[in-house]
Amino acid sequence: MLSQSRLLHRAIRIQNARTYASISSTSPPPSINTVGPYQVFDRNVKRIQRDKSALRDGGERSRTVDYVRNEVAERMLDRFLDIKRNFDTILDLGSGPGHFSKLLETDKVQKSIMLDSSEATLQRDSDSEFEVKVQRIHGDEENLLQYISPNSQEAIVSCLSLHWVNDLPGTLVQIKEALKPDGLFLGAMFGGDTLFELRTSLQLAETEREGGISPHVSPMTDTRDISNLLGRAGFTMLTVDIDEVKVGYPTMWELMEDLQDMGESNAVIGRRNVIHRDTLTAASAIYKGAYTNYYKYPSAYAPGLSACAEMHGSEDGTIPATFQIIYMIGWKPSPTQPKPLERGTGKVNLKDVL
């Protein structure tokens, strides 16, 4: 049994528990009295960031930086068309303005239900840009079953939205529950090596200039975990593959500006809201490998940074940004699905075949 003084000391510690930093004043503080998924991202801040990017300059800046999502949506469509089945309705989870749904044709799908947590992004583009019928639902992807009934969807697709979900295993379970038996889930999300050039450049610069590092690029799911997560969620007949989209930028500054216009700014709970200008300048130099000026103006650079020269820069003077994409396909179990034979029922000896 704990003594009365120790109980009082523990109560004081709980009352004085540190809260997490947040940009949004409307974000609820983390609760210390409940058990639930670990909160990595501030979903309210992410919604505000995406709303602002969709409304900036009437949505034109947001449309300009659709190139990554449009490319991934086209690659997803190739996988979708390989499935020899037609669908009356699909659910586009975390649809944004409809990068994937805009590519659908009526000979494959009749209607797309688009669900997204950012209403401004969801409503950015008009219905005239879609060949299929569309229905828009403003809702949080983490609470899918609050908006979609269980066992109601023929197919659910998700194009680059699941990397901002706090409870990915729970969200995959909800996706499986929302599907009809033998329903299809097709998804694409950023993998762990996404923007590794930016991450390493910022870490090196911050260590050199400030003596430590803090998270500036969101943590991503490791590619090796996806199959396990899909299996734990109850999906069968899994297919997981990895691809990369490489984009060239003049400097790190254009990359960071495009990420902001994409609504992909940092939303990690406890993040630093300010990065010192000299740290960003050093990170840009490391990224591009622009150390030809180091030997002309050594006083402008901290000692040791010259060892990081030519880290990522290309010969043509641009910098590459790598977006690693994990594509996944899973099916909700059904008695009608093909199943492997039981062990020992084979009639052909492999020795005779090989």
Side-chain angles (χ1 to χ4, degrees), residues 42-56:
D42 189 327
R43 297 279 294 173
N44 192 54
V45 165
K46 178 48 57 184
R47 177 187 57 79
I48 293 173
Q49 289 174 350
R50 297 183 65 219
D51 282 345
K52 288 182 177 179
S53 66
L55 296 173
R56 194 174 292 123

Side-chain angles (χ1 to χ4, degrees), residues 75-85 87 100 154-158 162 172 175-176 179 182-189 226-231 233-242 326-332 337:
R75 299 184 187 188
M76 274 185 61
L77 183 67
D78 292 337
R79 292 161 172 79
F80 187 66
L81 295 177
D82 287 339
I83 298 170
K84 305 304 179 184
R85 181 187 296 186
F87 302 90
F100 182 82
E154 300 174 66
I156 297 178
V157 300
S158 178
L162 294 178
L172 291 175
I175 291 173
K176 192 262 294 183
L179 287 169
D182 200 29
L184 165 71
F185 170 58
L186 169 63
M189 65 182 298
I226 293 298
S227 295
N228 293 332
L229 290 175
L230 289 171
F235 288 100
T236 61
M237 299 189 294
L238 307 179
T239 303
V240 177
D241 64 294
I242 306 169
I326 307 173
Y327 298 95
M328 64 199 86
I329 298 176
W331 297 82
K332 184 171 182 177
Q337 290 175 346

